[in-house]
Amino acid sequence: MKLEIGSPGIELIDRRWIMLRNSKERFGAVSQVFHWGVFLMFVSLYVLAEMMEDAPKGPEKWALYDLHKSIGITVLFAVFLRLSWRIANPAPEPTGKVSKWLEIAASVSHYVLYAVMFMMPMSGYVMSVSGGHDVSWFGMFTLPNLIGKNEGLPEFGEESHEVMATVILVLVAVHILAALWHHFIVKDN
């Protein structure tokens, strides 16, 4: 159904693009904004991580770390909101064009991706605060240090952070391939 203004045939807005909640057929605008917003934040975090590694020690490097941490906190909050929205607005129903085991695999990969999207910022927090570094959100407030400085935890946090980064890359690659497969091969949108 299309909204029209003026004479017939002049389409102003396609209603499916302004649908906020999920329907049985497609994700709503809020789910899509969360999806693409979190994706873009993760891309920016990966870019910042690469820049941090290459930057010489100094104020610029620490500014990159602060920005990385701030975006990481934002991701944690956004993923929490996204999951809350997902619980309140179930995903569109499967089309029935794929086997049951593929539906189960897709569900499992989504749950694992949500878990890793929570654990990734938490491991960054553990790495920072246990190493004696503050975690601030764009300089507006500093998260409390619930751990304290600890000799062994920064390395554990760093290893966990790197492992989860790899897991996210693999899951996102599988997700992209599945989306392309659905769009071009199965043609079920």
Side-chain angles (χ1 to χ4, degrees), residues 66-88:
D66 289 341
L67 181 58
H68 184 86
K69 292 175 190 181
S70 294
I71 295 171
I73 293 167
T74 306
V75 163
L76 182 62
F77 185 66
V79 170
F80 174 76
L81 289 176
R82 181 180 179 188
L83 187 57
S84 299
W85 183 259
R86 175 83 184 255
I87 291 167

Side-chain angles (χ1 to χ4, degrees), residues 156-177:
F156 173 77
E158 183 176 6
E159 288 296 320
S160 300
H161 209 61
E162 289 175 5
V163 166
M164 283 182 264
T166 303
V167 170
I168 286 176
L169 284 173
V170 169
L171 289 173
V172 167
V174 169
H175 183 74
I176 290 168
L177 290 172

Side-chain angles (χ1 to χ4, degrees), residues 37-59:
V38 169
F39 172 74
L40 291 174
M41 283 189 278
F42 267 109
V43 168
S44 68
L45 288 167
Y46 276 100
V47 170
L48 285 169
E50 291 300 317
M51 292 170 66
M52 289 170 358
E53 287 213 3
D54 295 339
K57 286 192 178 185

